[in-house]
């Protein structure tokens, strides 16, 4: 799973506001069930290593700070809205009465299988108007579809539409799509190379699984390359 958005500067500022040392932050996180050394806190604040989801949630609790502030971006995806509210995927799924595995797949694949009842409960849990949530889910699905078309075909024809959808500069989108198209092409080259060499099916299945995982993470990779999401923070 890709690491969540994180602002090292906001994390350090939050710690200094409380007058805590990295060791004290690590100790507070350990009490929350996330045992990390003080060096990890140093690394997060230095920006050399980003925290994972559990680490981010525990860090926010330890610093008495909204998760949204530590993320340093305005939430733009279902996952980011969930994190901004301090939910794990499992806890949010249980709150809206949805199978946790189905919810996790919805986030990973950017496709919403929930019923209208699930959607209403999800909007309430995330503090969004139902129509805003539906728009978010629809936009996410459209983004995934366009990105798939771009990396699998002629990426240049999708630059303007993706730039408009993501509200990003066309030049940055073009650079991102060029890089993503190259990454995707390498999967095809690897697969065809092993196919021509008549390697065993296990190796082909491994490459196919790697490609599937890459495609699931495609929207997050695109947002990372284009810097979309914006620098604004949202207070909850």
């Amino acid at each position: 799973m890709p690491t969540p958005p994180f602002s090292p500067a906001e994390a350090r500022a939050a710690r200094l506001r409380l007058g805590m040392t990295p060791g004290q932050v690590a100790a507070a996180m350990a009490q929350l069930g996330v045992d990390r050394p003080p060096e990890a806190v140093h690394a997060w604040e230095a920006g050399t290593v980003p925290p994972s989801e559990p680490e981010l949630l525990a860090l926010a609790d330890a610093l008495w700070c909204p998760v949204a502030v530590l993320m340093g971006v305005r939430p733009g995806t279902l996952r980011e809205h969930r994190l901004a509210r301090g939910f794990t995927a499992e806890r949010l799924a249980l709150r809206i009465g949805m199978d946790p595995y189905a919810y996790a797949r919805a986030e990973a694949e950017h496709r919403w299988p929930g019923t209208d009842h699930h959607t209403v409960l999800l909007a309430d849990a995330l503090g969004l108007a139902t129509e805003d949530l539906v728009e978010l889910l629809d936009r996410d699905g459209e983004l995934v579809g366009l990105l798939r078309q771009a990396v699998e075909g002629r990426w240049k024809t999708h630059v303007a539409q993706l730039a408009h959808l993501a509200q990003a500069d066309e030049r940055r989108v073009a650079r991102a799509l060029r890089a993503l198209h190259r990454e995707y092409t390498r999967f095809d080259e690897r697969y065809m190379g092993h196919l021509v060499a008549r390697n065993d099916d296990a190796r082909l299945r491994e490459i196919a699984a790697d490609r599937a995982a890459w495609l699931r993470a495609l929207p997050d990779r695109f947002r990372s390359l284009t810097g979309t999401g914006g620098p604004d923070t949202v207070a909850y």
Side-chain angles (χ1 to χ4, degrees):
M1 177 181 291
T3 55
F6 179 70
S7 170
E10 290 290 353
R12 185 172 188 274
R15 176 176 63 79
L16 293 177
R17 281 195 297 270
L18 295 175
M20 297 176 71
T21 66
Q24 290 171 327
V25 174
M29 290 179 63
Q31 292 180 345
L32 296 167
V34 180
D35 194 1
R36 299 293 184 272
E39 289 76 18
V41 179
H42 277 294
W44 298 333
E45 291 185 3
T48 54
V49 179
S52 64
E53 271 198 24
E55 290 168 341
L56 175 63
L57 295 175
L59 180 62
D61 278 344
L63 295 175
W64 292 76
C65 177
V67 180
V69 171
L70 296 187
M71 289 168 63
V73 299
R74 183 175 296 277
T77 66
L78 176 57
R79 181 193 184 208
E80 289 173 1
H81 277 282
R82 168 178 63 78
L83 286 170
R85 284 284 172 174
F87 285 108
T88 64
E90 182 178 12
R91 189 158 69 89
L92 181 56
L94 294 175
R95 172 163 173 163
I96 66 175
M98 191 172 183
D99 175 69
Y101 177 73
Y103 177 83
R105 285 196 61 180
E107 279 196 4
E109 298 177 0
H110 299 270
R111 300 181 188 278
W112 182 242
T115 65
D116 289 345
H117 182 63
H118 289 139
T119 304
V120 170
L121 292 177
L122 179 63
D124 180 67
L126 298 180
L128 295 172
T130 303
E131 56 270 25
D132 291 338
L133 175 61
V134 171
E135 181 182 350
L136 168 70
L137 296 173
D138 288 345
R139 187 169 63 244
D140 234 21
E142 184 180 357
L143 177 67
V144 171
L146 287 173
L147 285 174
R148 288 287 294 264
Q149 293 174 36
V151 300
E152 293 173 354
R154 298 179 180 274
W155 61 267
K156 291 182 181 179
T157 63
H158 299 282
V159 171
Q161 193 172 2
L162 278 165
H164 175 73
L165 185 63
Q167 297 182 335
D169 179 76
E170 286 195 16
R171 289 171 296 180
R172 299 184 74 172
V173 170
R175 287 195 296 269
L177 291 182
R178 183 186 299 113
L180 293 170
H181 185 267
R182 288 173 180 169
E183 291 177 15
Y184 183 80
T185 300
R186 283 197 288 269
F187 282 113
D188 279 348
E189 291 172 349
R190 284 172 57 199
Y191 190 89
M192 291 305 298
H194 285 283
L195 190 63
V196 171
R198 297 184 179 181
N199 288 337
D200 58 57
D201 290 344
R203 182 56 181 150
L204 295 176
R205 286 196 298 269
E206 180 183 335
I207 296 172
D210 288 345
R211 181 171 62 179
W214 184 87
L215 286 170
R216 285 195 297 273
L218 182 57
D220 291 323
R221 177 89 172 108
F222 172 75
R223 290 186 175 98
S224 175
L225 289 172
T226 57
T228 50
D232 300 320
T233 58
V234 179
Y236 282 95

